[in-house]
């Protein structure tokens, strides 16, 4: 689109990151990227009651990390919101883990799974097609207990 106005060679064409087949990119023809990202890290503590005083906390282990990513899909930026939502939905339903890569680095050093997806379509054309959609994804870190990552060929019965 920007190339129609002679701006194509002035704008970067780059892959910003990815989650499996979901590629975040910005170019003169298409903008498909996240608009916000947050990451939640927490730990689990056991509470031990003690007679006559406050309970004592004992560190147990880290909780599963979560990340929330919001993607704005705008038809004016070269994407079809309905088509992209369906692609992402298929990734969610497949339940496959993958690395979330930003700037060439895996976030958290382990694979993640998309545990939840919600879509808010906000602007429609005269035929009812979504022109703008906001997709919110909740991801959970899914490392293997022993190796820090999931091996798709791992069989828990054979090791």
């Amino acid at each position: 689109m920007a190339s129609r106005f002679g701006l194509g060679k002035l704008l970067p064409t780059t892959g910003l990151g990815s989650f499996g087949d979901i590629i975040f990119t910005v170019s003169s023809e298409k903008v498909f990227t996240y608009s916000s990202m947050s990451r939640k890290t927490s730990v689990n503590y056991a509470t031990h009651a003690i007679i006559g005083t406050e309970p004592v906390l004992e560190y147990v282990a880290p909780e599963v990390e979560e990340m929330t990513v919001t993607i704005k899909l705008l038809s004016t930026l070269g994407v079809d919101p309905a088509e992209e939502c369906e692609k992402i939905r298929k990734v969610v339903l497949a339940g496959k883990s993958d690395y979330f890569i930003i700037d060439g680095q895996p976030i958290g050093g382990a694979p993640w799974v998309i545990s939840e997806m919600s879509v808010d379509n906000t602007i429609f054309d005269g035929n009812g097609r979504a022109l703008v959609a906001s997709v919110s994804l909740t991801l959970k870190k899914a490392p293997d207990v022993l190796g820090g990552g999931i091996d798709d060929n791992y069989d828990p019965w054979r090791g």
Side-chain angles (χ1 to χ4, degrees):
M1 296 179 29
S3 59
R4 285 189 290 183
F5 304 106
L7 301 174
K9 55 189 159 197
L10 301 176
L11 297 175
T13 301
T14 180
L16 304 173
S18 63
F19 177 77
D21 294 335
I22 301 170
I23 309 295
F24 301 111
T25 187
V26 174
S27 73
S28 60
E29 300 298 321
K30 179 180 179 180
V31 175
F32 181 88
T33 190
Y34 47 90
S35 59
S36 69
M37 179 185 300
S38 64
R39 186 171 168 189
K40 177 182 167 188
T41 303
S42 59
V43 295
N44 185 8
Y45 284 92
T47 303
H48 302 286
I50 298 178
I51 296 173
T53 187
E54 314 180 333
V56 174
L57 296 178
E58 179 183 13
Y59 174 82
V60 176
E63 295 282 353
V64 173
E65 279 193 73
E66 288 189 8
M67 188 165 41
T68 302
V69 178
T70 302
I71 304 168
K72 296 280 187 192
L73 302 172
L74 295 97
S75 60
T76 56
L77 296 178
V79 297
D80 178 337
E83 183 179 303
E84 295 298 338
C85 284
E86 186 57 27
K87 286 180 188 176
I88 296 169
R89 185 177 163 281
K90 287 179 181 177
V91 171
V92 174
L93 294 176
K96 185 174 182 264
S97 66
D98 217 320
Y99 288 88
F100 198 103
I101 308 292
I102 301 294
D103 194 26
Q105 300 296 317
I107 301 288
W112 297 76
V113 294
I114 302 175
S115 62
E116 188 175 319
M117 171 187 180
S118 63
V119 178
D120 184 20
N121 295 310
T122 56
I123 298 177
F124 301 87
D125 68 9
N127 295 316
R129 289 186 302 252
L131 299 175
V132 176
S134 179
V135 180
S136 180
L137 302 175
T138 301
L139 296 95
K140 292 186 178 184
K141 194 172 178 183
D144 178 39
V145 173
L146 300 176
I150 291 177
D151 177 359
D152 289 333
N153 297 317
Y154 177 71
D155 181 347
W157 299 106
R158 294 195 177 135

